[in-house]
Amino acid sequence: GAREIDATGLLALPGGVDGHCHLDQPMPDGMRMADDFFTGTRAAVCGGTTTVIPFAAQEKGHSLKAAVDDYHRRAEGRAVADYGF
C-alpha cells in the first residue's frame, strides 16, 4: 500500500456478518420492510457489520430463481456492504 498506518496499541478486527436480516422485503399485503439495501447496509457498516445475508422471500407461485433475481436488482448499486442471499 501507498500509506502505512501505525496501529500500535489498537485492535484490528474483522467485520461482522449478519446472517438474518430483512431488506426491502416485499410483504403479502403490498408493504415492504422499512430498510432497503442502501439504508440497511449503511446502518450495518456503522455497527461494524460488513456482510449481510437478507432473506430472498419467494412469492407463492413464483420460482426461487425469480426471487433471487429480484433481490439482486434491488441491491445492485445500492448496497454499501457485501451481501448474499
Side-chain angles (χ1 to χ4, degrees), residues 1-72:
R3 183 173 162 212
E4 186 174 309
I5 298 172
D6 181 4
T8 302
L10 301 176
L11 296 175
L13 303 172
V17 176
D18 183 348
H20 182 133
C21 60
H22 304 266
L23 299 177
D24 202 12
Q25 182 175 327
M27 305 299 285
D29 55 7
M31 295 174 43
R32 290 195 188 278
M33 296 289 163
D35 279 314
D36 62 16
F37 279 88
F38 175 68
T39 61
T41 56
R42 181 179 61 180
V45 168
C46 287
T49 298
T50 57
T51 303
V52 297
I53 307 172
F55 289 93
Q58 181 180 359
E59 292 183 52
K60 188 173 184 173
H62 293 88
S63 72
L64 181 57
K65 181 181 180 335
V68 172
D69 289 347
D70 178 47
Y71 274 75
H72 276 292

